[in-house]
Structure formats: structure tokens, C-alpha cells
């Protein structure tokens, strides 16, 4: 089950909380150009994802996966990301 979920991440964009999370995924072999952070400027990260999707038809159909910690801050960031994704018609 976990390996299937991790494989799905390879076929989409990934939003993580911070740079340490991004570094960990890169070390696991995920492509750096498909991992974005929520800390700092979430709207800018989503804009970059949209630009990549607009430039490449294959990327346009990919999902955005939100990976956040199971703490209060993580839940808040995940909720904000969900709202921004919906507001920008992204999935």
C-alpha cells in the first residue's frame, strides 16, 4: 500500500511544508523540479506548477499531492494549499 502511494507521487507535483521535506524526497529519488514548498510563498509555488503544466501538455494532467505533517501547522498549511488549488482550478 505504501509503495503504491509513493509510486503515485512520481506521476504528479508534490507540495511539502519546507526545504528539509523537499531535500528528503530528492534523496529518495524524486525529481527536484516537481517538488515545491508551502512555506514561504505558497501562491508562487502554485504559479510555478501552473507554468510547468502550461508549457508541457503531459504535465497538465498531473495531480498535485500535498504532503504535510500531522500537527496543527501542517494541517493549516494543507488546508490553505487545498483552498488555493481549488481557487486556481488545480487538482
Amino acid at each position: 500500500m505504501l509503495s503504491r502511494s509513493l509510486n503515485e507521487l512520481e506521476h504528479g507535483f508534490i507540495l511539502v511544508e519546507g526545504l528539509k521535506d523537499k531535500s528528503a524526497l530528492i534523496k529518495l529519488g524524486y525529481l527536484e523540479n516537481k517538488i515545491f514548498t508551502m512555506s514561504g510563498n505558497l501562491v508562487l509555488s502554485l504559479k510555478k506548477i501552473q507554468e510547468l503544466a502550461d508549457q508541457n501538455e503531459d504535465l497538465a494532467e498531473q495531480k498535485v499531492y500535498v504532503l504535510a505533517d500531522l500537527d496543527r501547522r501542517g494541517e493549516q498549511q494543507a488546508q490553505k494549499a487545498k483552498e488555493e488549488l481549488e481557487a486556481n482550478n488545480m487538482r
Side-chain angles (χ1 to χ4, degrees), residues 25-40:
L25 287 176
I26 292 168
K27 286 179 184 175
L28 288 173
Y30 292 95
L31 297 175
E32 183 175 1
N33 66 343
K34 293 180 77 178
I35 306 169
F36 300 86
T37 60
M38 293 184 276
S39 62

Side-chain angles (χ1 to χ4, degrees), residues 22-75:
K22 181 175 181 174
S23 294
L25 287 176
I26 292 168
K27 286 179 184 175
L28 288 173
Y30 292 95
L31 297 175
E32 183 175 1
N33 66 343
K34 293 180 77 178
I35 306 169
F36 300 86
T37 60
M38 293 184 276
S39 62
N41 192 335
L42 173 62
V43 174
L44 181 61
S45 290
L46 293 177
K47 183 177 179 182
K48 288 178 185 177
I49 291 171
Q50 188 63 55
E51 287 172 359
L52 285 171
D54 289 345
Q55 293 171 7
N56 185 328
E57 192 173 304
D58 292 335
L59 297 178
E61 297 300 317
Q62 293 190 358
K63 294 180 181 179
V64 179
Y65 296 94
V66 178
L67 303 181
D69 295 340
L70 296 176
D71 58 13
R72 180 193 231 174
R73 184 163 189 244
E75 289 177 11

